[in-house]
Structures are given as C-alpha cells and as structure tokens.
C-alpha cells in the first residue's frame, strides 16, 4: 500500500514536470498554428526553425558565449583558486567573501550593476559586455569547485616536488593541476551550463542585435506564441536526454550527475 | 612556494574589484543621488529614491513579491520533501535513472519551460481547449497570480528536492535502525530522527527557491501578463523603459537588504534548531 502510494505520488510529480514539455512536443508536429487544435502531422516548423535567421543567430551566440566564458573562467578560476588557497587567513576570507557576492546576489542585481558599470565606462553593450558578464558570474563557481580539491591535497606533495628539483611552474603543471582536475572539470561544466541557461544577466548586459536563446524566447513569448519555438524545445529536450544518458553510462557509479 | 603561489590570485583580485565591487558601489551611489545620469556634474545627494518606495503602490508590489515567493516556497517544500524521501528509498539500481529524469527539466532552458506553461495555461491554450472539449467551463488562471505561483513551483521545485535528497542520502542507516530497535515506529523515527537531520537540506532548499522567486521578473511578466508586477519587474522597468536609474538602484538595494535579512533569519533558525535538537532525551 505504502509502495503504491509512493509510486503514485512520484508519477504525479513526473506528470507535473513533463506535461507542459510533452504538450509542446506534440504541438511541434501540428499542422495548425493555433494551440489546442490538431490540424494534422507536419514537420514544417522544424524546417522553419532552421530557416529562421534570428533563431540560428541566437543559438550561435549562446554557444559561443558559453564556450568562451567557460574556458576563460575555468583558466582564471583555477589559477585564482590556487592563489587564494595560499593566502593568509584574513586576505583569504576577504577574497572568498567578495567572490561569493555574485553567487548570493539575485541575478537581477548582478545584471543591473554590471550594466551600470559598462554604461558608466561608455562601453557599447553587445557581445563583449555579455561575454565579460558571463565570465564574472562563472569564475566564482569554478573557484568554489576547485578550492575543496586543493584542501584535500597533501601539502607535502608540492614541497616534495620542489625539493626534488621541480621548478614552481613544473610542480604546478605536474603535481597540483592533475590532483585538482576533477574540481576543474566540475567547475567548467557548471560554468558552461550556467552560461547556456542564463537570461537575466544577459538581458541587461547585451545590446546592438546580439541576443542569446533565452532573450529571443523571452521577446517572442511576450509577443505571442510561435510554433517554431515548440520545435526548438523538442530538439533541446532530445539533446539533454541524449547527453544525460551518455554521462550516466560513462559514470556507472553515478551520483556525479547532480550539479 | 606559498608566497609565490599567492601571486596567482592577484589578477583576480583586481578583476573582482572592477567587476564585482565597483558595480555594486555604483548601484549604491546612484541610489542616493538624483539628477541626470549622463551628466555627472548634475548629480547631487538625495534620498528621494528611497522615500519614493514608501508610496503605497510600491509597498504593495514589494509585499506581493514576498507573498508569492513565500507561497511558492512553501508549496515546493510540501511537494518536494516527499519526492526527496521517495527517491532516497528507490532501489539503488533505479535510483540514478529516477534522479536523472527528475533533473532533465532543469537542464532545459528556463525560458522555454516558462513558455511551455504559457502555452498550456493561456486563455485559449491546451487546458482550456481540453475543458471546452469535455464540456466544462474554461479556467481563468492566466494571466494571474495562480499562474505565476504555478510557474515558480514548476521552475524551482528541483532546487528544493536536490539539497534535501543530498542530506537524506547521507544519513547513516544504522541511526534509523537504532531508532527502530529502541521501539520507535516509522512515524516517530521520521519526526524524531529523519526530520531533524534534514533541517540543513530544508534550509538550503528554502533559500534556493525563495531567492530566485522573490527577484524574478520573467515568470511574472510571461504568466502574469504584465499585470502582476513584482519587485523584479519594477527594477527591470526602471533600467529599460523608465530610465530612472536612481529609483531602480534604490529598489535593488532594498531587495538585497531584504534578502540578506531573510537569509540571516534562516541561518538563525538553523542554529537554534541545532541547539534545541539535543535535549530531546
């Protein structure tokens, strides 16, 4: 009985989570433009999706910004984490507190604060400002995922390497970096997903025709519903499921799935 | 080595000052000044932006933001706790797959998820078509507060479930067995053992849901049809439409302070509970 109730409840929650997406998927194959009315099967919205220049451009910028900002923030974040780890008690605390601000602050505050800065500096809002902003909110997450790995590391290892004649940069490359690699990879993945999914900060810090997917969906949704967004949702869901299945297969031990 | 490794952080310290500290100081600066933002010489000290917030219209908006955020956080807790509990009892073989399918929706774009609700809740959306087809009267939930709350619960539910699940999965099974051996039934074990142990997870779940819910402007814009203004919408309007940076900055500072206060209260609750947990004996 308890078992049945558990399954029933979990099923209900899963219906709640998936119903809206499933409705979109079904209607992405709908001939009729109006929702709720079935006009026959069609793939024309998918064709239209790949013909829509705005959507393709937004997809391009979304991935470009996500890729660049996650690479930059992983590099800066990793080195900074090593530096912060070796700081004195007080400066370390200060640095970590400031580093924590973009994580704690609501996105909207980070967004308008950065916009205020860029405008005050007379910078043109566009690709560059969006890339900087994404890097600003990504680095703290990289640092926060690298620091625990540095703490776990045996201090004597680095000293041993130095005693054995390694230069500091050689010790960094051959001893420290390999040991903190899991943290670096986690940080990079978090940065990439945060960047792909970001709306609020991009919304305030971009301009002159540069939009990402979220901004495009927002402005389309405000004007009304477009069936090619349904097609886009379907493709996105498919990508996510395939990616997750691949990751799940690779990490049979699991648990690493949780971001 | 220690001293030299420190240098690696110096560029980032400069970066943090430019891109984290200065922008927040600028917001603070604009909140306590008035005048033309494009002409620095016209700016003068003024608390007008803060006194403007006390207009009953704006107070109502702030009150509504908190009300909707608290309601949706509570719903997330009530709906999410059992989910975390159930997932933690799923057989190890299926656990990953259940967890994965629970996570798939949050890996989808946030805007697309909100858009999905828009298209099923809207006056001539899926639900109303279905209701008319079944001969029932149509529902008027969107645009409206119910739709906004639904959208918040839908988007933020996983943020409640994940931290609680993480804490649950770390509970030592022998503790539960000990409780059972000492004669506690399942309900008593839950109330006296499991629930107190998961308080940290509940606290971080509440913060992770409440924070984005109280500051959102997307959900209220899309599902509230622009009629359900929240503090996030007010801030957004000041920076995009009204171009009143002073008032927008003041609102942002107020939002930050209120979130800080709520978080301080939450962490106090957690500490009190930690102290109060012991004297059960």
């Amino acid at each position: 009985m308890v078992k049945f109730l558990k399954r029933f409840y979990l099923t209900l929650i899963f219906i709640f989570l998936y119903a809206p997406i499933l409705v979109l998927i079904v209607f992405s194959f709908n001939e009729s433009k109006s929702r709720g009315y079935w006009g026959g099967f069609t793939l024309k919205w998918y064709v239209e999706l790949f013909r829509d220049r705005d959507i393709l451009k937004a997809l391009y910028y979304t991935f470009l910004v996500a890729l660049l900002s996650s690479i930059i923030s992983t590099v800066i974040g990793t080195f900074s984490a090593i530096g912060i780890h070796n700081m004195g008690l007080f400066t370390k605390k200060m640095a970590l507190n400031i580093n924590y601000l973009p994580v704690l602050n609501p996105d909207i505050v980070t967004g308008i604060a950065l916009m205020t800065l860029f405008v005050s500096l007379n910078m043109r809002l566009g690709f560059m400002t969006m890339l900087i902003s994404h890097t600003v909110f990504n680095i703290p997450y990289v640092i926060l995922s690298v620091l625990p790995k540095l703490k776990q590391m045996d201090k004597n290892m680095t000293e041993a390497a130095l005693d054995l004649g390694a230069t500091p940069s050689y010790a960094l490359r051959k001893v420290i970096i390999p040991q903190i690699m899991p943290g670096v990879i986690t940080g990079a993945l978090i940065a990439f997903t945060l960047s792909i999914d970001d709306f609020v900060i991009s919304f305030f810090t971009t301009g002159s025709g540069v939009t990402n997917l979220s901004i495009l969906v927002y402005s389309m949704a405000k004007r009304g519903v477009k069936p090619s967004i349904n097609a886009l949702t379907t493709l996105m869901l498919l990508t996510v499921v395939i990616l997750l299945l691949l990751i799940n297969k690779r990490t049979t031990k699991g648990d690493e799935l949780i971001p | 080595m220690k001293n030299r490794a420190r240098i690696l952080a110096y560029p980032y310290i400069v970066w943090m000052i430019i891109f984290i500290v200065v922008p927040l100081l600028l917001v603070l600066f604009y909140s306590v000044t008035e005048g033309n933002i494009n002409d620095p010489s016209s700016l003068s000290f003024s608390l007008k932006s803060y006194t403007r917030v006390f207009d009953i219209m704006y107070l109502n908006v702030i009150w509504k933001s908190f009300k909707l955020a608290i309601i949706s956080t509570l719903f997330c807790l009530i709906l999410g706790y059992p989910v975390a509990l159930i997932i933690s009892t799923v057989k190890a073989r299926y656990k990953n797959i259940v967890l994965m399918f629970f996570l798939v929706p949050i890996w989808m774009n946030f805007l697309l998820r909100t858009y999905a609700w828009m298209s099923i809740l809207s006056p001539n959306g899926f639900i109303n078509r279905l209701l008319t087809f079944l001969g029932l009267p149509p529902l008027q939930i969107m645009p409206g507060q119910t739709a906004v709350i639904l959208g918040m619960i839908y988007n933020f539910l996983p943020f409640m479930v994940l931290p609680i699940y993480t804490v649950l999965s770390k509970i030592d099974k022998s503790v539960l067995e000990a409780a059972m051996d000492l004669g506690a039934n399942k309900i008593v074990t839950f109330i006296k053992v499991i629930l107190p142990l998961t308080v940290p997870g509940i606290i971080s779940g509440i913060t992770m849901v409440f924070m984005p819910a109280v500051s959102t402007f997307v959900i209220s814009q899309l599902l509230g049809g622009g009629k359900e203004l929240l503090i996030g919408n007010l801030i957004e309007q000041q920076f995009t439409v009204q171009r009143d940076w002073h008032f927008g900055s003041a609102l942002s500072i107020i939002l930050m302070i209120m979130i800080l206060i709520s978080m301080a209260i939450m962490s106090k609750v957690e500490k009190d509970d930690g102290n109060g947990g012991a004297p059960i004996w």
Side-chain angles (χ1 to χ4, degrees), chain A residues 76-97:
Chain A
I76 301 182
T78 306
F79 285 116
S80 312
I82 296 170
I84 290 173
H85 180 68
N86 287 298
M87 278 178 162
L89 210 60
F90 178 73
T91 34
K92 188 175 179 175
K93 213 173 173 181
M94 271 298 272
L96 282 179
N97 276 336

Side-chain angles (χ1 to χ4, degrees), chain A residues 147-167:
Chain A
L147 270 181
K149 294 281 162 214
L150 283 166
K151 268 184 206 149
Q152 285 169 17
M153 219 176 75
D154 190 348
K155 264 184 212 153
N156 300 325
M157 289 272 249
T158 326
E159 273 162 32
L162 294 174
D163 286 348
L164 290 169
T167 59

Side-chain angles (χ1 to χ4, degrees), chain A residues 6 9 16-18 24 35 80 83 86 99 104-105 112 116 139 143 197 199 214 218 221 225-226 230 233, chain B residues 5-6 12 23 30 79 89 96 101 104 108-110 115 118-120 122 154 211 218 221 232 252 256:
Chain A
K6 277 180 176 175
Y9 184 72
F16 173 65
L17 286 176
Y18 280 93
L24 281 197
R35 292 151 290 158
S80 312
N86 287 298
N99 180 56
L104 283 182
N105 260 340
I112 57 119
T116 314
I139 295 176
I143 292 183
D197 212 39
F199 166 71
S214 308
Y218 181 67
V225 184
K226 209 174 174 183
N230 299 348
T233 314
Chain B
R6 215 174 274 184
Y12 184 55
Y30 282 120
L79 291 174
T89 59
N96 264 328
F101 276 102
V104 166
M108 290 253 307
N109 190 290
F110 166 68
Y115 167 81
M118 228 180 120
S119 71
I120 64 168
S122 69
Y154 182 72
M211 275 259 292
V218 180
Q221 174 74 48
S252 310
M256 273 174 77

Side-chain angles (χ1 to χ4, degrees), chain A residues 79-140:
Chain A
F79 285 116
S80 312
I82 296 170
I84 290 173
H85 180 68
N86 287 298
M87 278 178 162
L89 210 60
F90 178 73
T91 34
K92 188 175 179 175
K93 213 173 173 181
M94 271 298 272
L96 282 179
N97 276 336
I98 300 176
N99 180 56
Y100 214 55
L101 277 175
V103 181
L104 283 182
N105 260 340
D107 281 354
I108 191 167
V109 176
T110 310
I112 57 119
L114 282 166
M115 172 192 169
T116 314
L117 174 81
F118 295 137
V119 174
S120 306
L121 291 174
N122 274 325
M123 277 174 85
R124 223 180 123 86
L125 295 181
F127 179 76
M128 209 45 214
T129 48
M130 184 156 116
L131 180 61
I132 293 175
S133 309
H134 278 230
T135 313
V136 170
F137 73 73
N138 277 337
I139 295 176

Side-chain angles (χ1 to χ4, degrees), chain A residues 4-253:
Chain A
F4 169 76
L5 274 178
K6 277 180 176 175
R7 285 212 178 138
F8 181 68
Y9 184 72
L10 209 56
T11 314
L12 277 185
I13 292 288
F14 272 103
I15 291 174
F16 173 65
L17 286 176
Y18 280 93
I21 303 172
L22 286 181
V23 170
L24 281 197
I25 293 177
V26 171
F27 282 102
S28 77
F29 298 109
N30 186 8
E31 175 77 39
S32 152
K33 199 173 175 167
S34 113
R35 292 151 290 158
Y37 176 76
W38 184 253
F41 181 86
T42 182
L43 287 173
K44 71 174 173 187
W45 305 119
Y46 289 86
V47 178
E48 195 168 287
L49 175 71
F50 286 103
R51 281 207 195 123
D52 193 321
R53 289 198 146 269
D54 290 339
I55 294 181
L56 290 182
K57 215 171 93 183
L59 267 177
Y60 165 75
Y61 279 124
T62 309
F63 279 96
L64 190 66
V65 169
L67 203 64
L68 287 177
S69 78
S70 54
I71 291 172
I72 299 170
S73 42
T74 307
V75 174
I76 301 182
T78 306
F79 285 116
S80 312
I82 296 170
I84 290 173
H85 180 68
N86 287 298
M87 278 178 162
L89 210 60
F90 178 73
T91 34
K92 188 175 179 175
K93 213 173 173 181
M94 271 298 272
L96 282 179
N97 276 336
I98 300 176
N99 180 56
Y100 214 55
L101 277 175
V103 181
L104 283 182
N105 260 340
D107 281 354
I108 191 167
V109 176
T110 310
I112 57 119
L114 282 166
M115 172 192 169
T116 314
L117 174 81
F118 295 137
V119 174
S120 306
L121 291 174
N122 274 325
M123 277 174 85
R124 223 180 123 86
L125 295 181
F127 179 76
M128 209 45 214
T129 48
M130 184 156 116
L131 180 61
I132 293 175
S133 309
H134 278 230
T135 313
V136 170
F137 73 73
N138 277 337
I139 295 176
Y141 289 95
V142 176
I143 292 183
L144 288 176
S145 55
V146 172
L147 270 181
K149 294 281 162 214
L150 283 166
K151 268 184 206 149
Q152 285 169 17
M153 219 176 75
D154 190 348
K155 264 184 212 153
N156 300 325
M157 289 272 249
T158 326
E159 273 162 32
L162 294 174
D163 286 348
L164 290 169
T167 59
S169 68
Y170 190 80
L172 185 70
R173 267 185 296 133
K174 293 285 175 182
V175 180
I176 302 179
I177 303 272
Q179 287 195 70
I180 58 173
M181 213 49 195
V184 176
I185 293 173
T186 316
L189 285 177
I190 295 177
F192 188 77
T193 33
L194 280 179
S195 178
I196 287 239
D197 212 39
D198 177 68
F199 166 71
V200 178
I201 294 169
S202 314
F203 179 74
F204 287 106
T205 55
T206 189
S208 50
V210 180
T211 53
N212 66 8
L213 199 63
S214 308
I215 299 177
L216 188 80
V217 174
Y218 181 67
S219 56
M220 276 178 161
K222 257 171 96 175
R223 272 184 272 125
V225 184
K226 209 174 174 183
S228 45
I229 304 185
N230 299 348
L232 184 67
T233 314
T234 310
L235 292 181
M236 294 273 283
L237 184 76
L238 210 63
T239 322
V240 168
V241 171
I242 290 172
L243 273 177
L244 282 179
L245 280 175
L246 284 178
I247 297 172
N248 206 34
K249 219 171 192 174
R250 210 172 61 86
T251 57
T252 23
K253 269 182 258 156

